[in-house]
Amino acid sequence: MIVIEKTFHFSAAHRLVDHDGVCARLHGHNYRFTLEVGGDVCPSGPKRNMVLDYTDIGTVAKGILETLDHYFLNEVTEEEMTTAEFLCTWIYDRAIKTIPNLWAVRVSETA
């Protein structure tokens, strides 16, 4: 099994509505998410020696970024608790439709 990954960045505001800490207030983060794709390397043809073309990963990420970047996450995702874990699931649910060999999604707040 071969795994490749590509990382993307976005900025967004959110609040954790029922949270018992400071994140209950409206605030923003710079985020990054990584799409990991695993599988066998294509043995022949125009995608030879690739698990998936990085351009294809970027195309999927572009649609996700257009939805999240510089938006209020609670509104665009229709969720009150927009945690990093929630964002992983939200991104995964969209990316898996086009990348069936999606291995993992990682989300983090950047420094």
Side-chain angles (χ1 to χ4, degrees):
M1 165 82 61
I2 303 297
V3 178
I4 61 170
E5 65 180 45
K6 189 163 183 172
T7 300
F8 306 89
H9 299 88
F10 69 97
S11 300
H14 77 141
R15 63 184 291 249
L16 304 180
V17 174
D18 294 322
H19 187 59
D20 59 359
V22 297
C23 291
R25 297 192 300 258
L26 179 63
H27 63 286
H29 296 286
N30 293 314
Y31 291 94
R32 76 176 155 247
F33 71 93
T34 301
L35 301 178
E36 295 183 8
V37 180
D40 296 324
V41 172
C42 183
S44 62
K47 305 293 185 188
R48 183 174 39 118
N49 294 332
M50 294 182 186
V51 172
L52 184 66
D53 191 326
Y54 276 109
T55 301
D56 296 335
I57 299 171
T59 299
V60 171
K62 182 179 182 213
I64 293 167
L65 291 167
E66 288 173 348
T67 303
L68 301 178
D69 191 33
H70 285 81
Y71 282 99
F72 181 43
L73 297 178
N74 300 65
E75 286 181 359
V76 298
T77 65
E78 299 180 349
E79 172 59 45
E80 292 184 340
M81 292 294 285
T82 51
T83 62
E85 296 87 347
F86 169 79
L87 289 174
C88 275
T89 302
W90 191 92
I91 292 168
Y92 179 89
D93 288 346
R94 279 140 190 84
I96 194 71
K97 293 174 184 175
T98 308
I99 305 173
N101 54 336
L102 184 63
W103 183 260
V105 173
R106 287 185 280 136
V107 170
S108 62
E109 298 171 5
T110 56

